Amino acid sequence: MKRNLKFILALIKMKLSHMMVFRLSFFGAFFVDGSLFLIQILTFQAIYSQVDSIGGWSRGEMIIFIGTFSMINALNMVIFFFGVITIPDKIKNGQLDHYITKPVSPLLRLTFENVNPGSIPLLFLSVGIITYGISLLEITVTPLRVIGYIILVLIMTVLWYDIELLLRIIPLFTVSAYNFSRLEDSLLDVSMKIPGVLLKGVFKLILYLVIPYGIMSTFPTQFITNTLSPGWLAYGCGIVILFTYLTGRIWKLGLKYYKSASS
Amino acid sequence: MRKDIEIIKLIFKTQLVWRFDIAANVLFTISKIVFAYIVWSAVFGEKEMIAGFTFHTMLSYYIISSFLSQLDMSERIGWDISSAIRGGTFSKFMVLPINTERYFIARTIGASAFHLLFHLIAAVIWIFIFQIRFAFTGDIYMLLSAACFVIIGLLFMMQLNYMLGILTFQFGNIDVFLMIKSTLVSFITGTLVPLILLPASIVAFMRVFPFYYITYLPSMLLIGQNRDEIITGIITLSLWVLAFVPVNKLLYHRLRVRFDGVGI
């Protein structure tokens, strides 16, 4: 564990010195994603100018939902996004060889070798959005509820990582997974715009169970507004455990299938 | 003009190679319709009429605006120019026996013409899947006006993306800017939400700019609304297109000398 932590710190240090060479694009991810979530808020402000609630959710709940999604996305961008997205290319051109032949976990290195501190301001922006949402709702939030919310956000970040990784290791079994990436984009697009409470039928089945992006921001939002039932809370935790287990197993299985294109 | 037509034909043919990828991409555009269907189902559960829309006219609006926004393939101009300049391969466009801007415009028309059929099929599929009572005007004047807006609007977007692309000569890397522009454009063209839902003062301000007329107004015309905005709209949008002609020419001639042809 101590050895892994030391290794992660070394990777972060290396990445930081690399990023300083390209200072102009340092905050790129922050500006891109920040604008995305601000536009999202404007979209829902326009809809809420016509109605008081959407599927029982008021403006405040919707803003917390958007802020929470932004927060989980920010954690993803800061910690592992830029590392995980390189996996399909590394599988395709055989670069994965350099990772599996080193005396350190290849997944650990792939996950943390491209941390992006430029997205850290997105965390502050998300906190601002969530605080604004809470102020609109005029609810009292106890410190215990805040801690629970933070834990739930972190758990959902793990779920995001699991799904992101699962879709990126498909090339270990197939030649190309381009369309899986497109599928991921579409599902994320829907999930960041539509709270899970609005989903019904086949949409709920897909986004709550098959690829559970639908619960990632909905459950923490429901938790902090005190509307998440213990049953759904248990379901959320169970899904994360299941997906983490599956991801680990499929990664190990995939490595056995890896054919090393470069040699 | 013959050169332009040849480029359009060539690009149209090369798109055939990617037909299955294109078909898959078109299917994934469902996310916009799903968003509209789920959110507006919930909204219209509480009200029957919102800003002059019924549930079905609202979904018709999203189907049409999604179709029009997908038809606009001009975003690739900015990305292609930017990567060609940074990679040192832009010189291949400089030596073509055709004006660079006209080349990119012809290329985009060729690609859009090929995608037109796929997006039309997708739109019909979504109408059937979501069982939408599709609202579509039968007024010829509105139909022709919408077609004019679409054509001039696409031309403006090509000019805009060309301008952004050649700014790479000056700034080196415009990726972040292109991504932010894409998000902003989807909002201000009314692809995310009909602009009529915004405060009246903001809508009045947006009418001065071309984006209002690119997707939003033609979509509204096609569902049979906003007839009185046709004349002012055509004039405004045309003026923007005309204004961009000298701007792009001047920018290109000023900035191209900065190209150092990396790798040549």
Side-chain angles (χ1 to χ4, degrees):
Chain A
M1 184 69 183
K2 204 176 157 190
R3 191 167 149 258
N4 283 345
L5 270 174
K6 249 175 117 175
F7 180 66
I8 292 168
L9 281 174
L11 285 174
I12 293 171
K13 223 172 144 183
M14 271 166 62
K15 178 67 186 171
L16 270 174
S17 49
H18 175 76
M19 284 184 86
M20 284 304 158
V21 182
F22 302 100
R23 280 183 284 276
L24 267 180
S25 50
F26 189 83
F27 291 114
F30 162 67
F31 287 120
V32 172
D33 282 19
S35 65
L36 194 72
F37 287 104
L38 290 177
I39 290 289
Q40 185 71 10
I41 290 174
L42 286 177
T43 302
F44 275 103
Q45 293 281 25
I47 298 172
Y48 275 105
S49 67
Q50 307 294 321
V51 285
D52 295 328
S53 81
I54 301 175
W57 269 25
S58 66
R59 194 186 296 247
E61 281 160 313
M62 195 62 82
I63 287 175
I64 297 174
F65 169 79
I66 295 168
T68 306
F69 208 102
S70 170
M71 172 72 81
I72 298 170
N73 172 63
L75 289 167
N76 163 49
M77 299 294 270
V78 172
I79 307 167
F80 47 80
F81 174 76
F82 292 98
V84 172
I85 55 159
T86 61
I87 294 176
D89 278 343
K90 286 186 170 127
I91 294 170
K92 222 157 105 182
N93 57 32
Q95 274 183 25
L96 198 62
D97 292 7
H98 303 302
Y99 291 78
I100 52 181
T101 51
K102 297 278 187 298
V104 68
S105 158
L107 193 54
L108 185 80
R109 187 176 158 198
L110 283 163
T111 304
F112 293 105
E113 75 175 349
N114 271 318
V115 291
N116 179 39
S119 299
I120 288 173
L122 203 55
L123 293 171
F124 297 110
L125 177 72
S126 311
V127 171
I129 297 172
I130 295 161
T131 312
Y132 173 58
I134 291 171
S135 73
L136 284 179
L137 278 178
E138 294 172 358
I139 52 169
T140 316
V141 182
T142 60
L144 209 63
R145 197 151 283 281
V146 173
I147 293 167
Y149 171 81
I150 293 169
I151 293 169
L152 211 46
V153 164
L154 293 175
I155 288 174
M156 292 303 159
T157 309
V158 173
L159 180 62
W160 188 318
Y161 170 76
D162 291 337
I163 301 172
E164 201 164 62
L165 187 62
L166 268 177
L167 295 173
R168 298 293 180 305
I169 55 180
I170 289 169
L172 285 169
F173 304 94
T174 61
V175 179
S176 166
Y178 172 71
N179 282 326
F180 281 100
S181 170
R182 294 279 302 140
L183 173 73
E184 182 193 31
D185 288 346
S186 284
L187 289 176
L188 267 177
D189 190 43
V190 168
S191 306
M192 70 177 275
K193 288 175 183 164
I194 305 171
V197 288
L198 299 184
L199 297 170
K200 286 185 184 104
V202 69
F203 296 119
K204 193 158 190 162
L205 182 74
I206 293 170
L207 290 170
Y208 265 49
L209 183 65
V210 183
I211 303 184
Y213 282 130
I215 68 170
M216 282 190 308
S217 180
T218 305
F219 282 11
T221 305
Q222 286 180 308
F223 183 84
I224 203 155
T225 54
N226 207 8
T227 53
L228 183 67
S229 69
W232 279 119
L233 179 62
Y235 174 80
C237 296
I239 277 282
V240 179
I241 293 167
L242 177 70
F243 267 77
T244 308
Y245 172 74
L246 280 177
T247 309
R249 295 288 296 179
I250 294 172
W251 166 254
K252 279 182 184 158
L253 187 69
L255 283 184
K256 286 183 189 164
Y257 277 84
Y258 177 58
K259 290 181 182 69
S260 178
S262 65
S263 53
Chain B
M1 196 66 188
R2 256 184 64 191
K3 288 178 198 165
D4 303 61
I5 291 168
E6 282 308 313
I7 295 166
I8 293 172
K9 275 168 38 183
L10 185 73
I11 297 297
F12 189 92
K13 280 180 200 161
T14 54
Q15 296 293 309
L16 282 168
V17 180
W18 309 105
R19 58 194 180 277
F20 292 114
D21 273 346
I22 291 168
N25 279 348
V26 168
L27 284 177
F28 289 131
T29 59
I30 194 173
S31 63
K32 275 180 194 160
I33 315 298
V34 168
F35 163 74
Y37 183 80
I38 295 174
V39 170
W40 290 106
S41 294
V43 172
F44 280 98
E46 296 175 14
K47 267 184 171 183
E48 273 204 9
M49 194 79 137
I50 289 169
F53 286 93
T54 62
F55 176 60
H56 289 280
T57 51
M58 183 64 85
L59 287 188
S60 304
Y61 170 84
Y62 273 96
I63 296 261
I64 295 169
S65 65
S66 172
F67 168 74
L68 295 180
S69 68
Q70 295 298 326
L71 209 58
D72 173 22
M73 311 282 295
S74 62
E75 201 176 328
R76 264 163 51 180
I77 295 178
W79 287 103
D80 287 354
I81 294 177
S82 174
S83 78
I85 292 172
R86 278 187 295 152
T89 55
F90 192 78
S91 44
K92 72 180 179 192
F93 301 118
M94 287 171 146
V95 296
L96 285 174
I98 183 173
N99 172 288
T100 323
E101 185 177 11
R102 278 177 68 172
Y103 168 76
F104 278 103
I105 288 176
R107 233 177 67 158
T108 311
I109 292 171
S112 293
F114 187 81
H115 281 73
L116 177 78
L117 182 69
F118 284 93
H119 289 299
L120 210 63
I121 294 168
V124 174
I125 292 172
W126 306 147
I127 291 168
F128 278 103
I129 287 181
F130 294 101
Q131 296 173 339
I132 300 164
R133 286 199 295 274
F134 194 58
F136 198 76
T137 183
D139 185 332
I140 299 293
Y141 173 61
M142 288 168 95
L143 276 171
L144 290 175
S145 305
C148 280
F149 277 113
V150 172
I151 293 165
I152 307 172
L154 289 179
L155 184 61
F156 172 78
M157 289 308 290
M158 291 180 223
Q159 288 179 309
L160 176 73
N161 282 296
Y162 176 78
M163 187 191 81
L164 295 176
I166 56 175
L167 285 178
T168 312
F169 285 127
Q170 175 75 28
F171 299 108
N173 189 342
I174 57 157
D175 289 5
V176 169
F177 189 63
L178 285 177
M179 282 190 260
I180 295 172
K181 184 251 353 168
S182 170
T183 308
L184 271 178
V185 163
S186 63
F187 183 74
I188 59 180
T189 54
T191 313
L192 291 177
V193 72
L195 299 179
I196 188 83
L197 301 184
L198 300 177
S201 55
I202 293 178
V203 177
F205 180 69
M206 288 172 104
R207 283 197 188 100
V208 181
F209 296 96
F211 303 101
Y212 181 90
Y213 308 99
I214 290 166
T215 307
Y216 172 69
L217 191 58
S219 302
M220 292 298 276
L221 289 173
L222 289 173
I223 61 167
Q225 296 187 32
N226 295 35
R227 197 178 203 272
D228 52 328
E229 292 180 24
I230 292 173
I231 303 294
T232 49
I234 293 274
I235 294 170
T236 313
L237 190 54
S238 304
L239 284 175
W240 275 99
V241 170
L242 289 174
F244 262 66
V245 174
V247 170
N248 279 356
K249 208 170 247 180
L250 191 75
L251 267 178
Y252 181 70
H253 283 285
R254 282 256 172 108
L255 298 179
R256 70 184 175 140
V257 291
R258 290 171 182 263
F259 181 58
D260 50 11
V262 186
I264 293 176

